[in-house]
Amino acid sequence: DKLRPEHYLELARIRQVETMAAAALIGLRPQDLTFLSYPDAGLNHVYTTTGAMPPFQQRFTQRQATYGALVPDFHTQVYGCPAPYRKACALSDTKALIAMLQPKEIYVTDAADTHPDHAASHAFVMEAASQLGYTGMIYTYLIHSGSESQWPWPRGITPELPFEAHMVEGQRVPLHVPWPPPIRRPMTLGQAYCKWQALLAYRSQIPVEPEFLQSFIKCEEIFWIPNRL
């Protein structure tokens, strides 16, 4: 209750710094990153803000349009002004980014991800890809499924082990995705260590959810292939 919008704007700057630090550890340059800058804890609301509805207002920052806390947002870089938090703008920016990059592969969170922002990210990407007639491969991954103590599994930093499903109160976790996953890409111990170091670069996040985040350190990466329209 004591935090004000300026505190959350500072957190946005910190998280951009952390993202660039993490990206550098896996071989990416700052110019390889793009920040669309639609609202944290509100992307699902942006997806439903259509027609003549006023832009969604993020309750922590009080912002109604994209901004760059450190790095300018994509819409401002391309069009010279920020984009209102509306579905049409976010969808247009997603389409523009895909059209500019012409990627052969797209990786996005799965529709089954229980974090509303992540499910909305999936919806935006799939809708953009459909409207563009994108013919490349789309792979999805899962971050949140059930409670944070249920996925990923097994718990802890286990670079020698694969991801596993398990039963929780009669339900198989991860929820609402096929198991085993169709794509299982092995990782060496060196690659797992590099991933761990990149995760640790998110210094504002690790203290909050250390076991959850570090439980993604496994001997593989796993992906699903979504249904296409």
Side-chain angles (χ1 to χ4, degrees):
D1 292 339
K2 295 179 181 179
L3 296 178
R4 299 186 297 275
E6 56 265 32
H7 296 125
Y8 290 102
L9 294 173
E10 172 61 10
L11 178 59
R13 186 194 67 80
I14 289 170
R15 292 186 69 172
Q16 284 193 331
V17 170
E18 292 172 345
T19 298
M20 289 188 288
L25 290 167
I26 59 172
L28 295 175
R29 304 164 300 170
Q31 58 266 39
D32 295 323
L33 303 179
T34 299
F35 295 96
L36 292 177
S37 300
Y38 286 89
D40 187 16
L43 192 59
N44 58 320
H45 297 295
V46 173
Y47 191 79
T48 60
T49 301
T50 58
M53 296 173 64
F56 169 73
Q57 184 176 58
Q58 213 281 350
R59 66 190 182 100
F60 299 121
T61 64
Q62 298 297 302
R63 293 295 182 100
Q64 293 181 291
T66 57
Y67 63 94
L70 178 66
V71 179
D73 64 277
F74 174 77
H75 200 91
T76 295
Q77 287 186 353
V78 174
Y79 303 106
C81 62
Y85 288 161
R86 290 195 179 99
K87 178 182 178 180
C89 297
L91 182 59
S92 176
D93 282 354
T94 306
K95 291 167 61 177
L97 188 59
I98 293 173
M100 288 171 59
L101 296 177
Q102 293 289 302
K104 294 180 180 179
E105 299 176 349
I106 293 176
Y107 294 79
V108 65
T109 39
D110 197 90
D113 196 300
T114 52
H115 192 300
D117 281 349
H118 298 174
S121 295
H122 177 91
F124 274 118
V125 167
M126 296 305 293
E127 192 167 336
S130 176
Q131 291 185 14
L132 289 170
Y134 175 75
T135 58
M137 289 299 299
I138 299 179
Y139 300 97
T140 66
Y141 54 91
L142 196 61
I143 300 174
H144 294 279
S145 186
S147 74
E148 289 178 358
S149 63
Q150 297 171 1
W151 179 258
W153 196 262
R155 304 299 284 176
I157 303 172
T158 52
E160 73 285 358
L161 297 178
F163 289 97
E164 296 178 8
H166 64 126
M167 299 301 294
V168 178
E169 297 179 351
Q171 287 189 302
R172 179 186 51 74
V173 177
L175 305 167
H176 312 307
V177 290
W179 195 269
I183 309 293
R184 307 189 84 148
R185 294 180 177 166
M187 296 178 67
T188 66
L189 281 174
Q191 290 168 332
Y193 178 80
C194 183
K195 179 181 179 180
W196 181 46
Q197 294 303 300
L199 280 175
L200 293 178
Y202 291 93
R203 297 176 62 185
S204 67
Q205 309 300 303
I206 286 288
V208 180
E209 303 171 316
E211 185 183 55
F212 167 69
L213 292 172
Q214 295 181 94
S215 292
F216 283 98
I217 306 302
K218 297 288 182 280
C219 70
E220 63 177 357
E221 296 287 8
I222 58 175
F223 303 97
W224 288 266
I225 301 174
N227 294 325
R228 306 287 288 270
L229 297 177

